[in-house]
């Protein structure tokens, strides 16, 4: 009887430990999010450069397609069959979508210090 609360405690701890692990796992080698067709990206996209170039980039489907077209035109990236290309683009746009701007809002001009590089104001004596 006295053991039951302890058993329940262990179940609760185990549940909490797995609840946090629901986020998409990252592949240990490439850092790519392991969801959907991620292996197509691993197989086709890391031969020439670090996978970091991919995971640090963000884009819509059109933007990812543009990057692929640019690499095909300028960097010897091979052609994909349309099905494979569609899956690669869908994976990239879903897992590395455009983000809201990461920059902070500009400081209002009245809160800025005087500009030391401002051109001198010319005094007109009349
Ligand atoms: C045949 C070689 C090659 C392959 C394969 C390749 N790339 Fe690239 N990629 C390049 C080169 C070269 C650059 C320019 C690297 C640099 O600027 O240092 C580049 C740059 C990039 C960039 C940065 C673009 C930018 O605007 O800064 C991204 C993102 C990228 N590649 C994604 C991918 C993806 C996704 C794939 C798979 C579909 C892929 N690459 C496959 C050669 C390749």
């Amino acid at each position: 009887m006295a053991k039951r609360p302890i058993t329940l405690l262990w179940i609760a701890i185990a549940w909490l430990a797995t609840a946090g692990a629901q986020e998409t796992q990252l592949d240990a080698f490439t850092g790519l999010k392991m969801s959907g067709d991620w292996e197509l990206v691993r197989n086709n996209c890391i031969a020439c450069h670090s996978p970091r170039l991919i995971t640090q980039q963000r884009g819509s489907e059109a933007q990812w397609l543009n990057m692929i077209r640019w690499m095909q035109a300028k960097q010897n990236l091979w052609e994909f069959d349309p099905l494979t290309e569609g899956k690669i683009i869908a994976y990239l746009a879903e897992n590395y979508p455009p983000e809201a701007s990461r920059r902070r809002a500009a400081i209002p001009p009245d809160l800025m210090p005087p500009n030391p590089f401002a051109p001198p104001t010319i005094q007109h004596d009349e």
Side-chain angles (χ1 to χ4, degrees):
M1 279 298 269
K3 277 191 179 160
R4 188 158 289 165
I6 295 178
T7 310
L8 286 176
L9 182 68
W10 279 116
I11 291 172
I13 288 172
W15 181 80
L16 283 173
T18 53
Q22 296 302 310
E23 276 180 39
T24 315
Q25 303 246 316
L26 300 185
D27 173 42
F29 182 65
T30 60
L32 287 166
K33 291 185 190 170
M34 297 167 77
S35 80
D37 291 308
W38 75 276
E39 284 161 305
L40 278 179
V41 173
R42 181 195 59 192
N43 296 348
N44 285 289
C45 301
I46 65 168
C48 305
H49 50 67
S50 159
R52 289 289 302 275
L53 222 53
I54 302 165
T55 56
Q56 75 187 6
Q57 187 61 264
R58 297 290 179 272
S60 61
E61 293 204 355
Q63 289 168 323
W64 281 110
L65 182 63
N66 264 341
M67 286 183 250
I68 287 179
R69 289 287 178 268
W70 170 78
M71 284 181 282
Q72 285 169 334
K74 304 279 183 201
Q75 311 292 355
N76 285 328
L77 175 59
W78 45 84
E79 302 272 321
F80 298 107
D81 69 86
L83 190 67
T84 305
E85 186 169 88
K87 287 179 178 174
I88 289 176
I89 300 279
Y91 167 85
L92 292 168
E94 189 181 325
N95 290 284
Y96 305 99
E99 287 177 321
S101 172
R102 283 182 261 186
R103 301 192 60 174
R104 60 161 174 73
I107 295 173
D110 57 318
L111 294 180
M112 292 291 282
N115 179 1
F117 305 108
T121 39
I122 296 159
Q123 304 283 325
H124 293 284
D125 306 313
E126 277 165 274

